[in-house]
Amino acid sequence: MLNEATKNNLRRKSSYIDVVHLQNDLPLFSWIDINVTELCNRKCSFCPRADDDAYPNQNLHMSVELATKIGAELEMLNYSGVVVFSGYSEPTLCPHFEALVAAFPKQVRLELVTNGDTLKPSRIRKLFDAGISYFVVSLYDGPEQIDDFHQRFAEAGLTKDDYILRDRWHTDEDSFGLKLTNRAGTVHVGNQPEVVPHHPCYYTAYSLTIDWNGDVMLCMQDWNKKMKFGNVATQRLLEVWQSKAFNQYRKKLLNGNRACNPCHKCNTDGTLHGFNHAAVWKEALK
């Protein structure tokens, strides 16, 4: 069951994700996840980073030059979707994170998903001034954090329209306050749904996932980074997005074929968003 906070988050995202814009008569991505660093200061049991041997911290970060290139291409594409800094890490641990944010055009909605540990009021204000449009803060310690973070954002001059606080301090009995997935087969804690091999997935219809070095990943669930479709440090975003390799995976997943790696191990629903994009892609990929 989805809790109310998760439902509100899904509804908020729908207004951006599910609007289809075409490029070369094909749907453009409307949601971009960017992993800017390979560092995280927490080890949540429902995250692959709980295991140091399987997913160690690494001092690796996206360059400002790469962020500038991506931002310039989004401007040329007249991109009106969302860029979210989340990925496989805690984005604010990137030492030049504000500079990365500032590299993106002002017309793009920039969101930050964070555990909030570095978000003092002064940092919140700096990130907002750099271009962050919306803060998504996952609270892991307890309900006492709610008033604390409301105060931090108020001191930074932001309103409740600028952020959302998500309760994540729960136990595995109530799925930690979130909708659990096994991250394409990498974690197995809590009340996990079963893998359904013939269930469609729409991630590849609307979302683009970019790693710190420019690699374009299959999706945010692929924590082992099994599939890479190109690299935007040397290729154009649209070139990778509309590539033959990407379309091969896209066609399979849209039609409910999860036999491909790592999708055959993945239990994410994958159809909560992207249905409008999927309908156009299915027709185009017949």
Side-chain angles (χ1 to χ4, degrees), residues 65 202 223:
E65 291 75 17
Y202 298 160
W223 275 69

Side-chain angles (χ1 to χ4, degrees), residues 79-129:
Y79 180 67
S80 58
V82 175
V83 169
V84 57
F85 300 106
S86 57
Y88 315 102
S89 62
E90 169 51 47
T92 62
L93 296 183
C94 175
H96 48 269
F97 183 51
E98 282 84 350
L100 295 182
V101 173
F104 286 81
K106 298 303 181 185
Q107 83 243 24
V108 175
R109 179 179 173 87
L110 303 179
E111 297 193 0
L112 167 62
V113 177
T114 174
N115 60 35
D117 290 348
T118 71
L119 291 188
K120 305 305 180 187
S122 59
R123 184 99 194 265
I124 293 171
R125 189 71 224 183
K126 286 180 182 178
L127 288 168
F128 186 77
D129 290 342

